[in-house]
Amino acid sequence: MKRTQVVVIGAGQAGLSAAYHLVRLGFTRYDGVVVLDRNPAPGGAWQHRWDSLTMHDVHGIANLPGVAVPESSDDERANDFVPRYFADYEARFDLPVVRPVVVRSVRRDGDRFELTTDQDTCQAEAIVNATGTWNRPFVPWYPGIETFEGRQLHTSDYDGAEKFAGQRVLVVGGGASAVQLLAEISEYADTRWVTRRPPEWRTPGTEFGPEIGRQIIAKVEERVRAGLPPKSVVAVTGLQLREQEQAAYRKGVYTRLPMFSRITPGGVEWADGRSEAFDAILWATGFRADLAHLARLQLREPSGGIRMDGTHTVLEPRVHLIGYGPSASTIGGNRAGFAAARQLRDLLRPVAV
């Protein structure tokens, strides 16, 4: 059974940041820190994004510590560009990443944690969890969902707007992904948009800045300190149309309908009895934190969230969650990676070889 001081689970932005700082602060590679990543190659969730997502579409990639994001062309695919950046980063700093390894469960074992993976078991004094959300797409249940005879897919399964050519497509969800994909799909198909609540649009010209960023983090931190599940960024900031979505707006693509009451074999039906036929339903309904492997640690509060103090959980200070709650962004993930590494250095004192 392999023993190490710190296991980082996940090699996305937050996991790589944590690994970089842990090594820099004195943890030796593999014996002091190891990164277990379930993906077959570097890139985190970015390698799984749809092909039509270009660098022009993304909201910006934060620099990993020590190496700036290289220049990219607007039409470069994000699922190519970002994984290349991450791969170069891992190699440049010789980060101790082992892949593909799926962590099945984590349990306490005396003063250590035992991790069971799809390959073996290992023990660690501390856990830095950086698994993000990509592996937990969320699709809400509605009456009749299992009877629909058309195509149902989540944004994680999206493989291009041209697949919907000539169809009637219902997009469900009030987030940024729904807005982006509505614009793309409306070029090929007849679309409708439904959301649980009326979308809240940001004032045109309002851009993210330091003050807005501080407000977002403060609101999310307030929830996780209380043990409540964190909300999405859009729930805090609102939506904003980008230049490439203006044409869709002018065509009326973003006319929002209320949620239907049930799904039928041929479409959906609203509470007033009105129905409409659809060939496909795209669930742009977001993701949940990928934390099932930590269930045996019993970190959740009755409210459903995990109470946090900075990056570590209140119930188990040796378990840090980064890329969760207030650190669920590329910039936030970087900062959380440094904060977790610094706390673990002070707590564990890296063992010199």
Side-chain angles (χ1 to χ4, degrees):
M1 181 179 289
K2 177 66 176 176
R3 289 193 174 198
T4 189
Q5 287 188 282
V6 183
V7 169
V8 179
I9 308 175
Q13 182 103 18
L16 293 181
S17 175
Y20 168 87
H21 288 298
L22 286 163
V23 170
R24 189 175 64 86
L25 292 176
F27 287 90
T28 57
R29 294 169 177 83
Y30 301 104
D31 290 322
V33 58
V34 66
V35 184
L36 304 181
D37 185 41
R38 71 180 301 150
N39 289 293
W46 288 100
Q47 64 194 282
H48 306 299
R49 305 280 184 177
W50 49 93
D51 289 348
S52 60
L53 184 70
T54 67
M55 295 306 294
H56 178 61
D57 297 321
V58 301
H59 295 292
I61 306 299
N63 296 330
L64 283 162
V67 180
V69 179
E71 292 291 327
S72 65
S73 59
D74 283 349
D75 61 353
E76 194 161 2
R77 280 169 38 182
N79 61 11
D80 281 339
F81 177 83
V82 180
R84 284 202 309 273
Y85 173 46
F86 283 15
D88 174 75
Y89 190 83
E90 289 182 19
R92 182 184 299 239
F93 294 106
D94 190 25
L95 296 181
V97 182
V98 181
R99 62 166 58 89
V101 178
V102 178
V103 177
R104 302 293 191 194
S105 67
V106 180
R107 71 175 184 90
R108 293 181 182 89
D109 183 16
D111 61 352
R112 290 176 171 266
F113 298 100
E114 182 179 287
L115 294 85
T116 300
T117 77
D118 60 344
Q119 299 182 22
D120 203 345
T121 59
C122 63
Q123 288 190 335
E125 297 175 45
I127 303 292
V128 177
N129 193 85
T131 46
T133 63
W134 185 261
N135 292 303
R136 281 204 65 203
F138 173 68
V139 175
W141 183 86
Y142 277 87
I145 189 171
E146 70 282 353
T147 70
F148 185 63
E149 296 175 351
R151 181 187 181 197
Q152 290 192 71
L153 70 161
H154 188 270
T155 50
S156 59
D157 306 310
Y158 180 73
D159 55 357
E162 64 278 0
K163 301 291 180 65
F164 300 104
Q167 297 183 8
R168 291 176 55 79
V169 180
L170 182 67
V171 177
V172 183
S177 293
V179 170
Q180 178 192 335
L181 297 183
L182 272 162
E184 289 188 15
I185 296 170
S186 67
E187 294 292 320
Y188 295 86
D190 182 14
T191 61
R192 296 290 185 275
W193 185 28
V194 297
T195 65
R196 285 193 300 123
R197 293 182 296 271
E200 295 186 13
W201 299 97
R202 288 212 314 275
T203 304
T206 302
E207 299 296 335
F208 284 111
E211 182 58 33
I212 293 178
R214 283 191 290 269
Q215 292 173 14
I216 294 170
I217 291 173
K219 289 182 178 181
V220 179
E221 278 185 340
E222 183 179 352
R223 288 184 63 85
V224 298
R225 281 186 178 275
L228 298 171
K231 287 187 174 181
S232 69
V233 171
V234 168
V236 179
T237 65
L239 294 165
Q240 189 169 41
L241 294 177
R242 300 168 300 170
E243 179 184 349
Q244 57 266 48
E245 290 145 4
Q246 295 298 328
Y249 173 78
R250 290 190 292 270
K251 291 192 302 183
V253 169
Y254 299 111
T255 300
R256 173 259 179 186
L257 297 171
M259 282 302 299
F260 45 81
S261 60
R262 70 186 188 97
I263 300 173
T264 66
V268 299
E269 184 178 294
W270 279 267
D272 60 5
R274 181 173 53 91
S275 62
E276 193 165 355
F278 291 99
D279 300 295
I281 300 175
L282 174 61
W283 296 95
T285 43
F287 298 80
R288 297 293 183 265
D290 183 13
L291 301 175
H293 54 287
L294 302 180
R296 296 180 68 179
L297 298 179
Q298 298 181 320
L299 301 174
R300 289 197 180 276
E301 301 287 331
S303 56
I306 297 176
R307 194 181 299 271
M308 302 289 296
D309 182 3
T311 63
H312 70 76
T313 67
V314 170
L315 294 178
E316 181 46 85
R318 294 175 299 155
V319 174
H320 290 253
L321 306 184
I322 60 177
Y324 173 85
S327 63
S329 68
T330 53
I331 295 176
N334 278 349
R335 292 172 178 166
F338 174 62
R342 185 172 54 184
Q343 290 180 46
L344 290 173
R345 175 201 60 189
D346 297 340
L347 178 67
L348 303 181
R349 294 178 180 165
V351 177
V353 175

